[in-house]
């Protein structure tokens, strides 16, 4: 019995629309992303029979590797990282169509061989010239590759390009990259990944807001005091110093994941759930977003400390990091969305590495009840209503409300109404990449970042980085395992507020 047959829910998924036959080419197939995310996601899709009936995978990277070695390495990746138990039958159906090609991304050698392999595979698998190219490579490699692909484009089938972050390094480079791509491909052929949009809980924010009648009328400056968004990680830079030293928290998390969370929280209801309607509304938020100035920005870098009971070194002591590095590993900011819905309502955001624990939350803090009619002191334990979206972990939604403590008198305390995914649904949460790879194969760009969106995101980052040129903070300024520099607390205290208690 296969995994799908044992589980009726998985069997039900088979009834959904399946993508056209195609070949998926992964550039950067020797990297971590392919082993830890892409291959386990493809395997999960294979388990649920959501992949095209006729399908092949071609891994491409600089490293020399035979087809068999590639298959073996991917099998190990699936055994180590997939969310389903390993099933030999599913694996062999997937790995039968797996191939590897050595390719130097800097020149066009190997590109003809790639094209010939793909044509041969088209005949074997009847994939009709349909291609998904996945770019898990640095931005500098993308332009040349895109051009090579366009030059060798056949007459049959469709092409979709999935492009990983980072998408450029600033507004200028992102614009150039967009232009290079758009010279050869239409926007509906381009799928820029922000894997946070593939997370169930992030999509559920759209369901929460637009499938329920009760939230929209109060989702505005009249009823909401402020919004807090936290993207906290307990991990450090995990051996990625080369990348992280250039990126820092502002480019690694703020520019993409964090701003997408802000956009989804603040956007107007789209008229429908098509790619353009949803992205039109998000881009309006990004255009309206600004930070009121350098005083409302906090940068941090972690020093040594203890994370979840384990002693860890400081950022400057990490392998590959300059001993006097000024790269930030923490950012907090106050942002405003300049429109009628949100004017004067602060969005406080913070994100960082080596914080006390992994936690991504969106907290909507409502204004206090105008006049609680109870006796003095009865509501001392009462906090304002908060709608808390747990993006991860413990995925769910919780509403903090005031309730009467049982017994005499009228003492009020804050309690929580909780919805937990684990309790409400039987099927475990899919990984973001499962959803996104499938959507790209289906040609649905709703959960991908459009070119204008990415440029607006960079415009804000450029403005912030520009403000940072003027001063040099005393790094490190927070100990690993804490909630960041004290200046992040002061940012809210100045406004008479504080970060949500942990
Ligand atoms: C990536 C960043 O985009 O997101 C990493 O480059 C970060 O630095 C990761 O750790 C966080 O993703 P998740 O899904 O674990 O929250």
């Amino acid at each position: 019995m296969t995994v799908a047959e044992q589980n009726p829910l998985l069997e039900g998924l088979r009834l959904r629309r399946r993508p056209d036959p195609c070949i998926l080419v992964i550039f950067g197939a020797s990297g971590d992303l392919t082993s830890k995310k892409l291959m386990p996601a493809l395997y999960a899709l294979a388990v649920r029979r959501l992949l095209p009936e006729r399908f092949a995978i071609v891994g491409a990277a600089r490293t020399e590797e035979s087809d068999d070695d590639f298959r073996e390495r991917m099998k190990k990746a699936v055994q180590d990282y997939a969310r389903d138990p390993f099933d030999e039958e599913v694996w062999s159906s997937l790995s039968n169509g797996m191939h590897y090609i050595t390719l130097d991304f800097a020149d066009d050698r190997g590109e003809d061989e790639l094209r010939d392999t793909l044509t041969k595979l088209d005949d074997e698998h009847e994939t009709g010239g349909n291609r998904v190219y996945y770019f898990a490579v640095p931005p500098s490699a993308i332009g040349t590759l895109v051009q090579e692909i366009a030059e060798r484009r056949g007459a049959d089938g469709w092409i979709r390009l999935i492009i990983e972050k980072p998408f450029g390094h600033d507004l200028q480079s992102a614009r150039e990259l967009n232009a290079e791509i758009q010279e050869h491909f239409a926007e509906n052929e381009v799928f820029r990944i922000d894997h946070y949009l593939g997370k169930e809980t992030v999509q559920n924010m759209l369901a929460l807001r637009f499938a329920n009648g009760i939230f929209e009328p109060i989702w505005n400056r009249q009823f909401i005091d402020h919004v807090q968004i936290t993207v906290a990680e307990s991990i450090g830079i995990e051996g990625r110093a080369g990348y992280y030293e250039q990126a820092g928290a502002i480019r690694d998390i703020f520019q993409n994941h964090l701003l997408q969370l802000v956009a989804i929280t603040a956007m107007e209801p789209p008229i429908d759930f098509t790619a353009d309607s949803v992205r039109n509304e998000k881009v309006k938020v990004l255009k309206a977003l600004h930070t009121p100035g350098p005083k409302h920005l906090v940068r941090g870098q972690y020093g040594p400390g203890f994370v979840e009971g384990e002693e860890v070194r400081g950022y400057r002591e990490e392998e590959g990091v300059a001993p006097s590095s000024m790269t930030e590993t923490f950012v907090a900011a106050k942002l405003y969305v300049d429109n009628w819905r949100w004017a004067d309502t602060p969005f406080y955001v913070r994100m960082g590495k080596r914080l006390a624990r992994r936690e991504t939350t969106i907290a909507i803090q409502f204004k206090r009840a105008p006049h609680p009619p109870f006796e003095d002191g009865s509501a001392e334990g009462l906090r304002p209503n908060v709608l808390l979206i747990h993006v991860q972990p413990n995925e769910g939604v919780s509403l903090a409300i005031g309730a009467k403590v049982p017994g005499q008198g009228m003492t009020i305390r804050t309690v929580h109404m909780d919805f937990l995914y684990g309790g409400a649904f039987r099927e475990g949460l899919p990984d973001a990449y499962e959803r996104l790879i499938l959507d790209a194969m289906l040609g649905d760009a709703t959960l991908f970042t459009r070119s204008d969106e990415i440029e607006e995101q960079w415009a804000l980052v450029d403005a912030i980085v520009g403000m940072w040129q003027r001063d040099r903070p005393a790094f490190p300024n927070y100990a690993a395992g804490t909630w960041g520099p004290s200046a992040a607390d002061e940012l809210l205290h100045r406004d008479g507020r504080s970060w949500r208690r942990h």
Side-chain angles (χ1 to χ4, degrees), residues 111-289:
E111 307 283 351
D112 288 335
E113 191 195 338
L114 174 63
R115 180 201 49 205
D116 295 344
T117 305
L118 295 180
T119 314
K120 202 169 96 233
L121 289 176
D122 268 338
D123 291 340
E124 277 170 32
H125 297 270
E126 297 174 62
T127 35
N130 294 334
R131 312 266 185 269
V132 177
Y133 292 99
Y134 199 114
F135 294 77
V137 295
S140 55
I142 296 172
T144 319
L145 274 174
V146 166
Q147 192 184 335
E148 304 294 342
I149 292 168
E151 282 168 7
R152 290 167 179 76
R153 186 170 195 162
D156 299 324
W158 46 251
I159 290 189
R160 295 184 183 131
L161 312 176
I162 307 182
I163 303 187
E164 261 299 332
K165 61 171 278 235
F167 194 93
H169 184 76
D170 54 14
L171 178 57
Q172 172 72 14
S173 56
R175 271 192 185 141
E176 283 165 13
L177 191 49
N178 271 332
E180 278 180 310
I181 296 170
Q182 285 162 346
E183 201 182 315
H184 305 286
F185 291 94
E187 184 63 31
N188 65 7
E189 295 174 308
V190 186
F191 297 76
R192 297 170 195 80
I193 285 231
D194 184 319
H195 79 278
Y196 267 53
L197 293 176
K199 289 184 190 277
E200 280 293 327
T201 37
V202 175
Q203 293 161 50
N204 188 46
M205 182 71 165
L206 297 167
L208 190 76
R209 289 194 55 199
F210 307 130
N212 294 292
I214 60 168
F215 295 117
E216 241 358 68
I218 54 169
W219 206 263
N220 56 50
R221 61 193 302 270
Q222 266 174 291
F223 295 92
I224 293 176
D225 180 72
H226 71 277
V227 176
Q228 291 186 14
I229 303 184
T230 300
V231 180
E233 294 187 274
S234 54
I235 54 169
I237 53 165
E238 310 266 279
R240 295 156 78 215
Y243 155 75
Y244 201 86
E245 276 280 87
Q246 301 304 315
I250 192 87
R251 293 185 175 87
D252 187 43
I253 300 282
F254 181 94
Q255 185 269 341
N256 36 78
H257 310 326
L258 191 282
L259 289 183
Q260 285 294 330
L261 296 181
V262 173
I264 284 187
T265 308
M267 70 194 270
E268 295 300 312
I271 50 165
D272 53 32
F273 202 60
T274 56
D276 269 333
S277 300
V278 172
R279 297 187 297 179
N280 285 346
E281 297 307 334
K282 282 198 292 164
V283 91
K284 283 187 212 159
V285 174
L286 294 167
K287 271 187 207 294
L289 207 57

Side-chain angles (χ1 to χ4, degrees), residues 45 66 88 197 234-235 283 322 324 330 340 355 410 448 484 496:
L45 293 173
S66 69
E88 204 55 67
L197 293 176
S234 54
I235 54 169
V283 91
S324 57
F330 177 97
W340 274 51
L355 297 181
M410 201 60 191
F448 293 85

